[in-house]
């Protein structure tokens, strides 16, 4: 069970990250052709779908060590997915409405989703990462340096979300990238570790 869960989780982490990067590149701040915007929105939907499946893959493993953390992880990632959905449906609505078919106020809200929608989704992502990596650190299912790195990355990511929320940074600034990259890289290292090595044998 642990081996299968590790492989599925690793694959889903990579799928979510790759789809998210593609989506961000294609959407590019709301500019580009209708086809580009639609493709970007589709990539975000793939990312959201992969994120939604990660808790299901991990729950049987995490609940052995902390059922409350396992449930919390499911809830946090579910809320994150819900908060990500406007990033997918917003561009699709804008494309469908065309240049003049949408109320200007609604268009403005959808155009600025990457600003007002990023911080709440990021905070729930950080909560999920905190819950997951505390369990991984305590259980030693993976080497402790991996969740230790993640927990440090969570602190930086939360800082970034707070700065974006209160206007201290934008998602286009270099400082934003510097704050989010450590946790993003950690997630990919964890994904590869799970695919190649899997979880260590349960210790109870």
């Amino acid at each position: 069970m642990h081996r299968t869960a590790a492989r599925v989780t690793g694959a889903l982490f990579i799928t979510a990250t790759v789809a998210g990067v593609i989506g961000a590149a294609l959407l590019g701040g709301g500019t580009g052709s209708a086809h580009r915007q639609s493709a970007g929105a589709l990539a975000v939907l793939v990312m959201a779908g992969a994120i939604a499946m990660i808790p299901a893959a991990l729950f049987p493993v995490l609940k052995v060590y902390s059922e409350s953390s396992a449930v919390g992880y499911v809830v946090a990632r579910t809320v994150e997915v819900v908060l990500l959905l406007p990033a997918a449906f917003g561009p699709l609505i804008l494309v469908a409405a065309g240049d003049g078919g949408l109320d200007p106020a609604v268009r403005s809200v959808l155009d600025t989703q990457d600003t007002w929608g990023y911080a709440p989704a990021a905070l729930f992502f950080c909560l999920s990462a905190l819950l997951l990596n505390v369990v991984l650190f305590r259980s030693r299912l993976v080497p402790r340096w991996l969740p230790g790195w993640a927990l440090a990355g969570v602190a930086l990511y939360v800082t970034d979300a707070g700065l974006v929320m209160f206007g201290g940074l934008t998602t286009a600034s270099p400082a934003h990238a510097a704050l989010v990259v450590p946790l993003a890289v950690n997630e990919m290292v964890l994904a590869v570790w799970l695919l190649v090595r899997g979880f260590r044998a349960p210790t109870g």
Side-chain angles (χ1 to χ4, degrees):
M1 179 188 75
H2 277 46
R3 182 60 179 168
T4 300
R7 286 176 172 171
V8 171
T9 300
L12 288 172
F13 272 133
I14 291 172
T15 299
T17 299
V18 171
V21 169
I22 292 172
L26 291 173
L27 291 173
T31 60
S33 69
H35 291 303
R36 183 185 178 94
Q37 292 292 297
S38 298
L42 210 55
V44 174
L45 281 176
V46 171
M47 175 184 71
I51 291 172
M53 289 188 285
I54 290 170
L58 280 174
F59 186 82
V61 176
L62 299 182
K63 74 174 183 178
V64 173
Y65 302 94
S66 175
E67 188 162 356
S68 60
S69 293
V71 172
Y73 185 72
V74 172
V75 172
R77 299 241 74 170
T78 301
V79 175
E80 179 193 352
V81 168
V82 171
L83 292 171
L84 285 172
L85 290 179
F89 291 122
L92 293 177
I93 293 171
L94 290 171
V95 168
D99 292 332
L102 201 62
D103 182 271
V106 176
R107 181 177 290 275
S108 176
V109 169
L110 294 176
D111 279 338
T112 58
Q113 191 278 331
D114 62 334
T115 299
W116 60 260
Y118 165 77
L123 289 174
F124 277 96
F125 165 65
C126 288
L127 176 59
S128 71
L130 178 65
L131 291 167
L132 170 62
N133 284 284
V134 166
V135 175
L136 293 181
F137 188 88
R138 289 176 175 172
S139 64
R140 299 179 183 267
L141 284 168
V142 296
R144 277 188 159 180
W145 60 266
L146 263 172
W149 171 6
L151 293 171
V154 166
L156 295 176
Y157 216 112
V158 169
T159 300
D160 173 76
L163 288 171
V164 171
M165 182 181 293
F166 294 107
L169 283 180
T170 70
T171 53
S173 68
H176 163 71
L179 289 169
V180 302
V181 161
L183 185 55
V185 173
N186 170 269
E187 196 170 82
M188 289 301 91
V189 174
L190 174 62
V192 173
W193 183 278
L194 294 178
L195 286 170
V196 176
R197 303 291 296 273
F199 291 117
R200 289 176 172 171
T203 58

